[in-house]
Amino acid sequence: MEKKEVVTAKAPAAIGPYSQAIVVGDFVFTSGVIPADANTGIIPSSVDEQFMRALHNLREVLVAAGSDQDHVIRTTVYMKDLKNFDRFNELYGKMFHNKPLPARSCVQVAALPKDVECEIEATALLLPEKPAE
């Protein structure tokens, strides 16, 4: 089965030897997305802003791949401090609110790239192709 690399300037570029996402068949597999501004690389200072930026960046990668948040089937969330779990859930719920909700794992880790508060990855289905008009 063929793999297709996904690249978008609307989300932070890969900072190592990996792709922002890969499409295989009808599936999109994103790499972990951090809350860096795609244009400046600046990381927001507040935890809330970091959570929102990471979710925004994830959405941009999904769209570039031909999917969206409503077609996500699984996410994995890495957080530096699970004391922020409830607040993250509030913000996450604004992006993922259509049923059925994606399956999810959320774990606390000792450190993340660029010392960010969170990193999010997803598996999604491609959007169905629209018939030609």
Side-chain angles (χ1 to χ4, degrees), residues 12-13 15 18 32-38 41-55 57 76-82 84 88 107-121:
I15 55 175
Y18 60 90
V33 178
I34 63 171
D37 182 280
I42 293 172
I43 309 292
S45 57
S46 81
V47 172
D48 278 14
E49 289 175 315
Q50 286 197 32
F51 290 163
M52 291 303 294
R53 173 55 62 183
L55 290 164
N57 290 342
T76 304
V77 180
Y78 305 94
M79 296 176 67
K80 276 186 19 183
D81 191 345
L82 283 178
N84 296 316
F88 179 80
V107 296
Q108 181 170 312
V109 296
L112 289 164
K114 298 190 180 253
D115 200 33
V116 297
E117 293 294 327
C118 69
E119 182 174 3
I120 308 167
E121 63 186 33

Side-chain angles (χ1 to χ4, degrees), residues 5 11 13 19 37-38 48 65 69 72 77 83 93 99 111 119:
E5 181 179 21
S19 300
D37 182 280
D48 278 14
Q69 69 269 14
V72 171
V77 180
K83 290 178 185 170
K99 305 283 182 181
E119 182 174 3

Side-chain angles (χ1 to χ4, degrees), residues 1 9 13-14 29-30 44 68 71 82 93 95 97-98 100 108 113 115 123 126-127 133:
M1 194 170 277
F29 301 91
T30 75
D68 62 22
H71 287 78
L82 283 178
M95 180 166 164
H97 55 273
N98 290 335
Q108 181 170 312
D115 200 33
T123 302
L126 288 175
L127 293 172
E133 295 182 17

Side-chain angles (χ1 to χ4, degrees), residues 69-74 92 96-103 125:
Q69 69 269 14
D70 292 336
H71 287 78
V72 171
I73 55 177
R74 178 168 177 70
Y92 181 93
F96 296 106
H97 55 273
N98 290 335
K99 305 283 182 181
L101 296 170
L125 296 169

